[in-house]
Structures are given as C-alpha cells and as structure tokens.
Amino acid sequence: MTAKEVINKALFLLGYNDGLGNTSDARFQTAAKNAVNFILADLIHCLGREDYGDIKSLSDEISMPKRVLYDVMPYGVAAFIAESIGDGEKQQYFAAMYNSKRKTVVYEDSVQD
C-alpha cells in the first residue's frame, strides 16, 4: 500500500472527500505526509523493528503487515489530519480508535496468551 492510499483511506474515514475519494483541499495535503510519517514511526516501534525511514513521496510503498496498513494506520493518520485543521471532535474520536487498535500491534516474535 502506498502512502497516498493510506491518506485516501484516512480522508474517507473522516468524510473529508467526495464520493470518488478525491479532495482538493490543500489543508489535507500539507498535513497528510507528516501524519503518515508520525504514525509510521510509532507503528514500526510497536512492531519492534529498527528500519525506520520517512516516506519521501506519496507514491512510496509502506512495508507493514497488511492488517496494520488497512486496520490501524489510517485511524492514526486521520487523527493527525483532523488535529492539524482544528477538527477537535473527529481528532478525539480517531485518536481513541487508533490507540485501541494500536494495542493489538505487537512485536512479531512475542507470544500472547
């Protein structure tokens, strides 16, 4: 999945796009890349990996387990985007969702009961 696809999923969750998934609002574009990098750093740490590196462009592929990419990362990106434009209600909701989902991301070599 590319950074752009994660951002589009986050914008869809927030309802900040049209029916086709497009948005032309520059506020989202400026915040989105930083949001992906913040959440990427957090999730890499949660997975116990050391291969952190910022995405350079929105077409960069993100190397994470599929479940993390599709079910965890978009919620964190959505929280950062909402915060960056001052949408406190959605920021709180998506931050809570992200933190809940983030708890399921564990070191790959750990054992859970």
Side-chain angles (χ1 to χ4, degrees):
M1 179 180 273
T2 66
K4 177 77 172 160
E5 291 170 321
V6 171
I7 292 165
N8 286 343
K9 188 166 175 73
L11 292 173
F12 177 79
L13 289 169
L14 288 162
Y16 291 168
N17 53 11
D18 63 20
L20 300 174
N22 302 312
T23 182
S24 59
D25 194 325
R27 297 179 301 171
F28 307 132
Q29 302 307 319
T30 56
K33 185 176 171 188
N34 290 334
V36 169
N37 282 325
F38 287 134
I39 298 301
L40 181 60
D42 183 48
L43 292 173
I44 284 176
H45 173 74
C46 290
L47 289 169
R49 292 174 29 190
E50 304 269 336
D51 59 339
Y52 175 74
D54 284 345
I55 59 161
K56 304 298 182 213
S57 77
L58 297 181
S59 62
D60 287 356
E61 288 285 331
I62 299 173
S63 176
M64 288 269 178
K66 277 190 171 187
R67 194 194 65 75
V68 174
L69 281 173
Y70 287 89
D71 189 43
V72 180
M73 193 169 195
Y75 289 88
V77 172
F80 271 101
I81 292 172
E83 180 182 28
S84 73
I85 64 162
D87 189 344
E89 187 176 319
K90 286 187 179 181
Q91 187 278 332
Q92 287 180 332
Y93 174 77
F94 283 101
M97 289 294 295
Y98 172 67
N99 285 325
S100 174
K101 290 175 175 289
R102 181 184 176 274
K103 290 177 185 177
T104 66
V105 179
V106 295
Y107 292 109
E108 293 171 343
D109 60 349
S110 67
V111 176
Q112 289 193 313
D113 290 333

